[in-house]
Amino acid sequence: MGLLRSLVLCTLAACCMARSPPQPPLPLKPRGCNDSDVLAVSGLALQEINRNQKDGYVLSLNRVHDAWEYPQADQGSLFYLTLDVLETGCHVLSKKAWKDCRERTFYQSVYGQCKAIFHINKPRRVLYLPAYNCTLRPVTRRKILFMCPDCPVPVRMDPSNLKVLEAATESLAKYNNESPSKQYSLVKVTKASSQWVVGPAYFVEYLVKESPCSKSQTTCSPQPSDSEPVGLCQGSLTKTPDKTFVSVTCDFFEPQNQVPGGKTSAVDQTSVKLPKENTAPASPHYKPSPSGSVQHLPDLDDEMSEDSQAQNLPEAFPVRLDLTTNPWGEDLDLSFLYIGPDEGKLTVLPFPRKSQHDRCPGPAKDTRPLVLPP
């Protein structure tokens, strides 16, 4: 009897000590791509993507391609967003909001896709972009010429292209000659295209920085090599047998407001309605920049010709965002956004590969197939 009692007690003890199997994570919740909160969060995510760039042009939202939400109990939600984007004419150094920038004409169009994970916790007034990745391509020259044989076509950004450099230097010289005092120097050419008008014409965009010399000075100190660009100029150079035509306009960047610590202000929260109660900021500490990149790929036709021997068609927009590949999820530490020591521990799941619901993609701002990723 004593032996039987011991066996029963040992069995009960083993059962108590045994761990229950881990429960699978809750599935991602599909969201409508035209839902108002999804559009607001998508706009904020794109705003942060643009803010995180040091080079290139501001991207605008053409449509939400796919959207999922992963509720985090009392820690808000993680949104998994796939965004179709268009390049605008605003340089990222201008710090302009994407809604204030115009998209380019079709023969200058650069389009693509961004994947982003965005955290929102309305009660705690937390908005944060942990990670993103974007892939962009120009509209192919073949399509441009088919639709508009006389339109300018992009020119490859080759430093040895003397025609492009000549268009930039000649147009900047014109601007400096017409400037009453300040003088500017070329930083780099950011875009170039060519067209036959009454002769060969080159159109360029380029960054400029302020020269230490004013127009009235004959001598001045050398310019610091690390001085920041202060504006974006657009110039053109057209040559005929009898005359040369030069034009130029420049847009100078506004000085940016700084917050304590020398960092730019946090995410603009005006696009998402956050509750007024419990409005204290979650954390006074500096929030690290989101992890991600914007990749510029060549004309798809050029890439296809390079891969023609392998007979492998390249993927148009191979954008990935894999914070984890574990189907059970992994911890995402966002505790720096919160005050409490036990807060900000979220679970992140693998990014969905394909849309699983019929409310996406949403309506596009520019509906031309020419600038819509597949």
Side-chain angles (χ1 to χ4, degrees):
M1 186 66 178
L3 179 60
L4 179 60
R5 182 180 299 171
S6 298
L7 289 173
V8 171
L9 291 174
C10 289
T11 302
L12 290 174
C15 291
C16 292
M17 294 178 64
R19 295 182 179 179
S20 58
Q23 296 299 313
L26 295 174
L28 293 173
K29 175 185 175 183
R31 294 297 309 272
C33 283
N34 202 36
D35 292 351
S36 59
D37 60 335
V38 170
L39 291 173
V41 169
S42 299
L44 288 171
L46 190 56
Q47 175 180 307
E48 284 303 286
I49 291 172
N50 286 323
R51 182 174 289 166
N52 199 44
Q53 305 311 305
K54 305 301 181 186
D55 195 16
Y57 291 83
V58 171
L59 302 177
S60 68
L61 180 63
N62 192 23
R63 69 177 179 183
V64 179
H65 194 98
D66 199 16
W68 299 80
E69 184 180 2
Y70 189 33
Q72 300 283 316
D74 59 347
Q75 299 282 359
S77 292
L78 285 174
F79 281 83
Y80 295 72
L81 305 167
T82 302
L83 311 176
D84 291 344
V85 296
L86 295 171
E87 189 180 84
T88 71
C90 298
H91 199 276
V92 294
L93 295 180
S94 71
K95 301 300 181 183
K96 290 184 178 180
W98 62 265
K99 290 184 178 180
D100 297 332
C101 299
R102 291 184 178 181
E103 289 82 13
R104 295 183 178 275
T105 54
F106 81 93
Y107 57 81
Q108 296 177 316
S109 293
V110 175
Y111 69 114
Q113 246 180 22
C114 294
K115 291 187 183 295
I117 295 177
F118 195 87
H119 172 49
I120 177 171
N121 187 339
K122 287 187 178 181
R124 300 301 301 275
R125 298 182 64 81
V126 172
L127 303 169
Y128 184 66
L129 176 73
Y132 70 93
N133 273 323
C134 302
T135 301
L136 307 175
R137 286 190 191 273
V139 172
T140 63
R141 293 185 297 276
R142 173 179 53 84
K143 291 181 179 179
I144 294 173
L145 292 173
F146 178 79
M147 296 180 64
C148 180
D150 296 327
C151 286
V153 293
V155 175
R156 291 187 180 183
M157 299 299 296
D158 187 345
S160 63
N161 192 325
L162 298 181
K163 297 294 185 182
V164 170
L165 183 60
E166 182 186 16
T169 54
E170 288 291 327
S171 59
L172 182 56
K174 175 181 173 65
Y175 189 90
N176 283 332
N177 288 335
E178 296 174 354
S179 174
S181 58
K182 289 186 177 180
Q183 300 289 283
Y184 300 92
S185 58
L186 177 67
V187 177
K188 72 171 184 177
V189 178
T190 56
K191 279 193 179 293
S193 59
S194 65
Q195 180 187 26
W196 184 270
V197 188
V198 289
Y202 286 86
F203 308 91
V204 290
E205 296 181 17
Y206 50 91
L207 292 170
V208 296
K209 58 185 177 182
E210 193 170 331
S211 171
C213 303
S214 67
K215 202 166 188 178
S216 60
Q217 289 177 301
T218 56
T219 60
C220 54
S221 59
Q223 185 176 12
S225 59
D226 59 348
S227 57
E228 293 292 328
V230 297
L232 181 74
C233 295
Q234 297 178 331
S236 69
L237 178 66
T238 305
K239 290 187 175 182
T240 69
D242 303 321
K243 195 173 181 180
T244 297
F245 299 91
V246 180
S247 69
V248 63
T249 59
C250 292
D251 180 26
F252 294 98
F253 309 145
E254 294 290 337
Q256 298 301 309
N257 294 327
Q258 298 289 317
V259 297
K263 305 297 179 182
T264 54
S265 58
V267 176
D268 179 10
Q269 299 181 355
T270 56
S271 298
V272 175
K273 294 181 180 180
L274 298 176
K276 293 184 179 180
E277 59 275 7
N278 300 324
T279 57
S283 172
H285 301 297
Y286 167 62
K287 301 174 180 62
S289 297
S291 171
S293 64
V294 176
Q295 182 182 19
H296 292 262
L297 298 181
D299 186 319
L300 188 59
D301 284 349
D302 293 343
E303 192 169 331
M304 290 175 66
S305 62
E306 293 173 1
D307 289 347
S308 58
Q309 293 181 351
Q311 296 182 350
N312 292 323
L313 294 179
E315 186 176 354
F317 297 99
V319 56
R320 301 285 184 267
L321 186 58
D322 296 317
L323 294 186
T324 179
T325 57
N326 185 350
W328 293 82
E330 293 184 10
D331 290 339
L332 179 63
D333 186 4
L334 299 181
S335 57
F336 55 84
L337 297 169
Y338 294 87
I339 294 176
D342 298 328
E343 296 180 301
K345 304 294 185 180
L346 284 71
T347 302
V348 62
L349 296 178
F351 204 99
R353 293 300 184 191
K354 293 184 179 180
S355 176
Q356 299 294 322
H357 53 98
D358 57 1
R359 292 188 292 162
C360 287
K365 183 178 178 181
D366 189 333
T367 59
R368 293 173 298 176
L370 190 72
V371 293
L372 288 177

